[in-house]
Amino acid sequence: MNEEKIVITGMGAVTPIGIGVENFWEQLINGACGIGPLTRFDASGMNVQIGAEVKNFKAEDYIPKRLIRELDLFMQYAYVAADEAIKDSAMEIEPDRTGIVMATAMNGVATIASTQTQMENSKSGNVSPRFVPKILGNVAAAQISIAHHIQGPSLTVSTACSSGGDAVLMGAAMLQGGMCESVVVVGGEASLCPLVMQSLSGAHALSRNNEHPEKACRPFDADRDGFIMGEGGGAIILETESHAKARGARIYAELAGYANNTDAYHVTAPNPDGSGAAACMKKAMVSAGINPSQIDYINAHGTSTPAGDIAETKAIKAAMGEAAYKVCVSSTKGATGHMMGAGGIIEVIACVKALCTQTVPPTINLENADPECDLDYVPNTARTKDMTYAMSNAFGFGGQNSSIILKRI
């Protein structure tokens, strides 16, 4: 087992508030919101008519034309984010010493739904031979590997909305296990479609504030009524510290600690007492070798659901003790929506940028405090703060919990 430090040397982002890490970060700290009326399909007859779509994304600006038709939209987002991260890291791919971990919660579900409808309405009933490769999560990793000649270990993680955080953990495990010396950790999601949205709407999980989409996602606010589906891609480059220093790489942050566990409580609802999430955060701090008072910022899972935000607040209190009331906590989902499998990676990037710039991104739309959510959620305006450690939480259906800790270099 390799015990040396793991560092982040590259980042890439495709989000509803900006394409490219710098665009994403600038919009995030300025309180932008990427949520609006859905444009990709007619949602006029649905209870939920809003979402966080990636705007102004033209695949031909980033991807070879011959390849575009081979890639599902979730793959395109992942491909572009990975390409940015690899270029940002300025690394030369060592084929058998570079690995890749792909994160996605829903794979190509939108394409599955639309293809089924097309087949049923077609006289021939034919289906494109590209259909199966386009809906598989691991093919996203395969396409990135082909483009960049990555021949090391390849894994695809699908642990619902904790997929992104768990992919970071898996990338770290690859490095510590000596399987490779650098890892592309990438996530992609494009599940905005009537099939998924009607199911989640029926479960009363989504906000129905169609009249005011920019105010619909309200993490920790007393008037929150559900989450907003988002989409996009995110990627980071992980390397062993010795490998990064040997090639003179710019290092953004250290991956100081990480943990994963499960609630064993319910397939969709979090444990109301937050005990599973609290245990995950505690394990991550043990992994990092730090105590709660050293955590300066938490990027919360904070989806804006009535039960979830309270459970996470309880979890933070249980994990942090008295330090819970001193740490800055914010949810960036009011800006990006819930990017599902890609969200955990984008939120790790937000933590890295927070440490690099010493700026805490805000929780937008937090206007009416919920008495049961009584921590410092950095409402509406970014804040300057001296920070060394940041934590990113990503929780998913099935009771999946993931906590990632970053350290400023």
Side-chain angles (χ1 to χ4, degrees):
M1 182 69 70
N2 186 350
E3 295 296 337
E4 76 167 296
K5 294 178 181 178
I6 297 170
V7 296
I8 296 173
T9 59
M11 300 185 290
V14 178
T15 80
I17 57 172
I19 299 171
V21 170
E22 293 308 316
N23 289 333
F24 158 68
W25 179 247
E26 182 179 1
Q27 294 298 309
L28 188 66
I29 60 173
N30 286 328
C33 179
I35 299 166
L38 291 166
T39 64
R40 197 162 298 144
F41 57 88
D42 182 6
S44 58
M46 296 169 54
N47 290 325
V48 177
Q49 302 167 14
I50 55 178
E53 298 175 328
V54 175
K55 286 82 173 173
N56 305 313
F57 179 82
K58 297 179 180 179
E60 60 270 23
D61 291 344
Y62 308 97
I63 303 170
K65 288 185 179 180
R66 61 171 177 76
L67 186 57
I68 293 173
R69 64 179 183 171
E70 307 288 341
L71 302 177
D72 190 84
L73 187 57
F74 86 95
M75 296 179 180
Q76 293 179 19
Y77 292 155
Y79 187 102
V80 173
D83 192 57
E84 180 188 6
I86 290 168
K87 290 176 180 175
D88 184 48
S89 74
M91 71 174 182
E92 293 185 11
I93 299 293
E94 303 166 78
D96 64 344
R97 298 301 296 160
T98 303
I100 184 167
V101 185
M102 173 68 193
T104 182
M106 306 286 281
N107 301 297
V109 65
T111 293
I112 294 171
S114 63
T115 301
Q116 178 70 35
T117 300
Q118 291 167 12
M119 186 184 74
E120 291 174 349
N121 294 331
S122 168
K123 291 181 180 180
S124 68
N126 290 337
V127 176
S128 168
R130 295 188 179 90
F131 169 72
V132 171
K134 286 179 71 171
I135 66 168
L136 298 176
N138 75 297
V139 172
Q143 292 283 17
I144 294 166
S145 297
I146 292 166
H148 295 280
H149 203 52
I150 297 169
Q151 295 182 310
S154 176
L155 292 174
T156 297
V157 176
S158 185
T159 49
C161 299
S162 72
S163 298
D166 288 335
V168 175
L169 183 155
M170 288 304 303
M174 284 181 178
L175 294 173
Q176 291 194 325
M179 299 169 67
C180 49
E181 292 177 324
S182 60
V183 182
V184 180
V185 180
V186 57
E189 206 72 70
S191 52
L192 283 164
C193 68
L195 181 68
V196 174
M197 294 190 67
Q198 287 290 77
S199 176
L200 289 171
S201 174
H204 300 286
L206 301 180
S207 171
R208 300 188 181 190
N209 191 358
N210 298 315
E211 295 77 18
H212 304 286
E214 73 285 354
K215 296 288 188 179
C217 188
R218 314 177 64 85
F220 305 108
D221 189 273
D223 297 323
R224 66 192 183 278
D225 69 332
F227 74 87
I228 295 292
M229 286 185 64
E231 62 176 7
I236 61 174
I237 305 300
L238 297 180
E239 299 184 55
T240 58
E241 184 181 47
S242 61
H243 185 266
K245 287 185 174 180
R247 68 179 188 85
R250 172 190 52 200
I251 295 174
Y252 285 112
E254 177 189 341
L255 176 59
Y258 43 84
N260 160 286
N261 72 357
T262 184
D263 283 355
Y265 173 77
H266 193 273
V267 294
T268 57
N271 192 321
D273 66 10
S275 56
C280 189
M281 286 185 267
K282 289 179 181 178
K283 289 179 180 180
M285 286 185 282
V286 170
S287 171
I290 61 174
N291 60 60
S293 66
Q294 292 174 271
I295 299 289
D296 301 297
Y297 168 55
I298 297 175
N299 186 292
H301 186 61
T303 58
S304 185
T305 61
D309 289 2
I310 292 174
E312 186 170 10
T313 297
K314 290 179 178 178
I316 292 170
K317 291 178 182 178
M320 304 288 289
E322 294 182 0
Y325 290 95
K326 299 176 182 178
V327 66
C328 288
V329 180
S330 70
S331 170
T332 48
K333 288 184 174 69
T336 66
H338 193 348
M339 293 172 63
M340 302 209 171
I345 297 175
I346 286 296
E347 290 159 14
V348 164
I349 291 172
C351 285
V352 172
K353 291 296 291 183
L355 292 174
C356 289
T357 64
Q358 299 288 275
T359 304
V360 179
T363 302
I364 65 171
N365 299 326
L366 180 46
E367 298 165 354
N368 182 16
D370 183 339
E372 293 192 73
C373 299
D374 58 350
L375 302 178
D376 180 0
Y377 300 111
V378 194
N380 300 306
T381 304
R383 185 183 305 171
T384 300
K385 178 180 172 66
D386 185 19
M387 294 179 283
T388 302
Y389 288 97
M391 177 188 291
S392 176
N393 286 335
F395 308 139
F397 279 4
Q400 293 285 158
N401 300 309
S402 170
S403 294
I404 306 294
I405 297 178
L406 293 310
K407 182 182 180 183
R408 184 186 183 192
I409 295 297

